[in-house]
């Protein structure tokens, strides 16, 4: 197996910080009163923490965990629910926070199960999107950056559970 590691910096800490701050204000503007944010573990944990700290006013949080990549850099196409929510979504304005939308399989699965719980609105925020990789045309209202078809790590995103702690986003390569 080739030795893959983070190489060129795709998005710097500064670029990410600015974009996340403006996404936070956009979300607050769309939902000035009620806002319930659901983060998808584990990849979204850093994005979530920066995003919610940049949202002024009241925000409630909950967490879900799903697994879509068994190992490595290719999608299995199979989504497993590892941790469900603690509270109901009935009548809430809900925003799903996800690290990256790639094929769209994970988000489609999540949106379907969350929509069935009767939120007043359901929107999705993704830090990254790889449009060229899409298999399902999933709706994502807030996208941080559109990127090319390259496997990236850092700022919460992993390769075999490594590199989540990088402050920037880097391309994984040999
Ligand atoms: P999808 O179901 O193909 O859209 O995949 C979404 C999930 O795959 C994300 O939540 C990530 O966990 C993972 N993923 C997709 N692309 C990347 C990447 O470039 N780096 C790290 N994880 C990725
Ligand atoms: Mg992952």
């Amino acid at each position: 197996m080739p030795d893959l590691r983070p190489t060129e910096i795709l998005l710097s800490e500064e670029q990410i910080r600015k974009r996340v701050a403006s996404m936070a204000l956009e979300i607050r503007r769309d939902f000035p009163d009620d806002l319930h944010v659901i983060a998808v573990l584990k990849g979204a944990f850093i994005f979530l923490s920066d995003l919610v700290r940049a949202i002024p006013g009241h925000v409630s949080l909950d967490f879900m965990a799903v697994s879509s990549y068994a190992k490595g850099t290719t999608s299995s196409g199979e989504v497993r629910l590892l941790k469900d929510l603690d509270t109901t979504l009935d009548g809430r304005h809900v925003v799903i926070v996800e690290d990256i939308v790639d094929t769209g399989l994970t988000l489609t699965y999540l949106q379907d199960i969350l929509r069935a719980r009767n939120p007043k609105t359901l929107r999705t925020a993704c830090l990254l999107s790889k449009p060229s990789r899409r298999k399902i045309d999933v709706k994502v209202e807030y996208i941080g950056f559109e990127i090319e078809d390259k496997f990236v790590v850092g700022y919460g995103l992993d390769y075999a559970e490594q590199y989540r702690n990088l402050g920037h986003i880097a391309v994984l390569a040999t």
Side-chain angles (χ1 to χ4, degrees), residues 27-160:
I27 292 170
R28 179 84 283 172
R29 200 178 53 229
D30 293 347
F31 301 105
D33 305 315
D34 178 49
L35 178 59
H36 188 56
V37 170
I38 292 175
V40 185
L41 296 171
K42 295 177 252 187
F45 82 109
I46 292 184
F47 175 40
L48 171 85
S49 69
D50 284 345
L51 186 77
V52 294
R53 284 180 294 172
I55 298 176
H58 293 283
V59 185
S60 53
L61 292 182
D62 207 342
F63 295 88
M64 280 185 113
V66 294
S67 160
S68 51
Y69 278 53
K71 231 181 192 180
T73 65
T74 46
S75 178
S76 63
E78 193 187 313
V79 181
R80 278 190 308 146
L81 182 59
L82 305 177
K83 186 218 170 288
D84 205 343
L85 299 174
D86 293 336
T87 56
T88 66
L89 303 182
D90 204 28
R92 303 294 309 272
H93 291 292
V94 173
V95 176
I96 304 169
V97 171
E98 175 57 311
D99 54 357
I100 184 166
V101 50
D102 186 28
T103 62
L105 290 165
T106 309
L107 263 184
T108 301
Y109 169 83
L110 282 174
Q111 289 180 355
D112 286 350
I113 59 171
L114 297 185
R115 204 173 284 114
R117 299 179 187 185
N118 294 315
K120 197 162 187 179
T121 56
L122 183 65
R123 292 197 183 176
T124 303
C126 286
L127 181 69
L128 304 175
S129 172
K130 291 184 199 169
S132 67
R133 294 257 311 157
R134 212 72 91 238
K135 285 185 187 159
I136 305 181
D137 185 21
V138 64
K139 199 166 169 191
V140 181
E141 286 80 4
Y142 310 99
I143 291 176
F145 302 92
E146 290 200 341
I147 64 169
E148 285 174 45
D149 180 12
K150 287 179 178 167
F151 198 85
V152 293
V153 293
Y155 198 73
L157 291 115
D158 76 303
Y159 170 64

